[in-house]
Amino acid sequence: MEDFLFADEPDDNIEEAKNRKSWKVLIVDDDPEIHSVTKLALNDFEFQDRKLEFISAMSGEQARQMLTEHNDIAVVLLDVVMETDHAGLEVARFIREDLNNYYTRIILRTGQPGQAPERHVIINYDINDYKSKTDLTAQKLFTVIISTLRSYRDIVVIDENRRGLEKIIKSSANLFSIHSLEHFIEGIVQQLSSLLGGTQEAVYMTAVVAGPLPIDNVDDEKYYVFSGCGEYTDLQGKPLEEVVQGEKLASCKQALSQRDIVYGPDHVVAYCESKSNRGAILYMSGLQRSLNELDRHLIELFSLNVQIAFDNILKSRDIEETQKEIIDRIGRLIHAQNEVGSQHTRRMQGIADILAAKLGLDDELHERMVTAIPLYDIGKLTLSRAMLNKRESLSDDEFEKIKTHAQLGYEILKDSNRPLIKTAALLARDHHEHWDGSGYPNGLAGDNIFILSRITALASVYDVLRSDKAHKSAWDQQTSLAAIRDQRGKQFDPELVDLLTIHIDEVEAVRAQFPDE
């Protein structure tokens, strides 16, 4: 017969295990001797270069407390009969139902098998193994712990992969925003981390500053954190030298200089090649096991492909920024024709941005409107500059001619299939429609006027009233706001007028930000 748990091996390695990455094992039993012999029997146990860390509970109540304090317990060795005949079973129920913990593996150990029938317990309490104390020798305990830890490890890896895939799937719905790209890379790094043994400490650093990173003085020769997890979470914008030091920094420098992958004792740095920028580096630390050939292959694939996605996003962003700049410059041309202030368009965009946000407008519509605003008066390019800037009163014929700019602007833009240009077409056509139906060109009223056109109209009129023109001086804030309120429910949407009034300080702050040159 094999030796029972009672053994004489020393307990020298337990403190060492506590100071290293370890597998946590909770022993729940009201017999102190069971705790002692279990620790002795498993004293030299090691799985994937990690030892065991033992946590003891002498009752079901203590077990619940330990389980609440430690959410990373891998295995529970659970006695059935303690302060009550079914205290252990209540602990099992607590783990699965109260904590919703389906990762921790539960091994039921009982000295009285008849009190907890095996079939009933396994089916009804989500127990992973059932052992009689008298049958559980040192060798059998070793075997069951090995198999249980393998199961726990695989469940954790699968869950890490699931959460990583969730991030990637969510990000792919809007992959062309920098914020989304950050989550995309974070998800991939999380998956790679789990495949390499579960490390949670990884950071992706680029030489390109992308997105709203908190960087005041960007150095073209430096690399900055783009995304990170573990101890590198929330370090976006920090330079490489502030994030890692010593031997690990040297590995990063080596990877950059050699444009290769560098493996350290507990970390790896992979250079990610770029065809259009200076590339990036993926740094992972706290590796919990030695990397095998498959691990290295995964890192190589990641380094070869992730920077391609990053570069493509940056190219898309550059196209979007170029589009916005072209539209902005056309807007400046339009308003130069009409002798409107050089920053009128930007002030309009800022005011419209505030109104849309306070109104709770859909994000996509909101952004599209702000981008399209510079084209709202494009129809005036078809009119003579002399007529647009005439100092004397316009004749009836001249006024009717000027009114055609709204429909003409719509005709210029209407045939596009691009959502942005289609939005600009509606802004051009409807920005002179009035809430009460007295506007032009179509006499639309109320909600029949496109909401973006209503916002644009109010932003335009308020800024024009507050600005100098060749034939008039700027009105003060109080006078301008009084004129707007006088047209509440007539020319302007009442709700928008109220929002403008409530948030007038924010509106004036935007105007101060973009003074005319």
Side-chain angles (χ1 to χ4, degrees), residues 196-478:
L196 299 184
T199 178
Q200 296 298 305
E201 298 168 358
V203 60
Y204 186 76
M205 290 177 259
T206 78
V208 180
V209 180
L213 301 183
I215 301 175
D216 296 323
N217 299 305
V218 176
D219 186 338
D220 290 339
E221 297 302 315
K222 288 188 175 182
Y223 284 74
Y224 297 90
V225 174
F226 186 84
S227 178
C229 55
E231 66 175 287
Y232 305 107
T233 303
D234 298 327
L235 294 180
Q236 287 85 351
K238 296 290 185 182
L240 166 64
E241 290 76 8
E242 291 184 20
V243 175
V244 292
Q245 290 84 34
E247 178 188 5
K248 296 175 180 179
L249 178 59
S251 293
C252 291
K253 298 286 188 181
Q254 182 183 348
L256 286 169
S257 64
Q258 296 178 355
R259 294 173 174 256
D260 202 354
I261 300 173
V262 175
Y263 296 95
D266 66 342
H267 64 274
V268 61
V269 186
Y271 177 78
C272 304
E273 184 74 41
S274 171
K275 293 183 179 179
S276 57
N277 298 299
R278 287 197 297 117
I281 54 174
L282 167 66
Y283 167 79
M284 301 176 66
S285 66
L287 300 178
Q288 298 178 14
R289 60 177 173 81
S290 300
L291 300 182
N292 56 37
E293 287 302 314
L294 177 60
D295 297 329
R296 296 183 181 223
H297 181 62
L298 288 171
I299 293 172
E300 183 179 349
L301 285 176
F302 182 92
S303 64
L304 287 173
N305 291 290
V306 71
Q307 187 63 20
I308 296 173
F310 188 86
D311 290 346
N312 287 340
I313 298 302
L314 293 181
K315 288 177 182 177
S316 297
R317 189 186 67 161
D318 185 59
I319 292 170
E320 290 177 0
E321 292 301 319
T322 301
Q323 172 185 266
K324 290 178 181 179
E325 182 175 339
I326 292 171
I327 291 174
D328 181 66
R329 290 181 181 276
I330 293 173
R332 287 170 176 256
L333 174 64
I334 294 167
H335 294 118
Q337 175 89 345
N338 196 25
E339 295 186 5
V340 179
S342 61
Q343 297 291 345
H344 171 63
T345 297
R346 289 189 177 174
R347 292 193 296 268
M348 273 186 65
Q349 288 175 307
I351 296 170
D353 186 39
I354 292 170
L355 293 175
K358 303 305 180 184
L359 191 63
L361 199 65
D362 173 78
D363 288 345
E364 184 179 351
L365 278 177
H366 182 159
E367 183 179 356
R368 200 187 307 157
M369 173 191 67
V370 172
T371 304
I373 275 177
L375 299 177
Y376 86 104
D377 247 352
I378 193 171
K380 288 184 176 177
L381 290 177
T382 65
L383 304 177
S384 72
R385 187 166 187 167
M387 184 187 302
L388 289 171
N389 299 295
K390 185 177 180 181
R391 304 294 189 268
E392 302 81 16
S393 298
L394 295 171
S395 67
D396 290 344
D397 287 344
E398 287 172 329
F399 182 62
E400 289 301 319
K401 181 69 173 175
I402 284 180
K403 285 169 62 176
T404 63
H405 82 275
Q407 186 63 35
L408 290 172
Y410 176 71
E411 296 295 331
I412 292 170
L413 301 171
K414 70 175 184 178
D415 293 328
S416 174
N417 290 322
R418 301 285 181 267
L420 176 62
I421 304 303
K422 291 170 75 172
T423 297
L426 292 175
L427 299 187
R429 187 190 68 186
D430 296 344
H431 69 279
H432 281 291
E433 298 287 2
H434 292 179
W435 183 260
D436 64 3
S438 63
Y440 63 85
N442 297 312
L444 301 177
D447 290 334
N448 289 324
I449 306 168
F450 188 31
I451 180 59
L452 305 188
S453 298
R454 284 181 262 155
I455 295 172
T456 300
L458 181 58
S460 174
V461 171
Y462 182 79
D463 188 66
V464 168
L465 292 177
R466 294 283 288 118
S467 302
D468 288 321
K469 291 190 70 176
H471 59 284
K472 83 164 192 70
S473 298
W475 292 8
D476 60 38
Q477 175 186 322
Q478 186 176 358

Side-chain angles (χ1 to χ4, degrees), residues 129-145:
D129 208 342
Y130 182 104
K131 299 294 182 184
S132 172
K133 292 181 183 179
T134 57
D135 293 335
L136 200 56
T137 64
Q139 181 58 45
K140 287 182 178 179
L141 181 60
F142 179 91
T143 302
V144 76
I145 291 293

Side-chain angles (χ1 to χ4, degrees), residues 28-31 78-89 108-112 115-116 133:
V28 185
D29 202 297
D30 59 358
D31 184 351
L78 182 61
D79 188 19
V80 177
V81 180
M82 291 178 286
E83 64 265 43
T84 67
D85 289 347
H86 295 91
L89 298 181
L108 203 66
R109 296 196 297 182
T110 179
Q112 306 170 43
Q115 283 196 280
K133 292 181 183 179

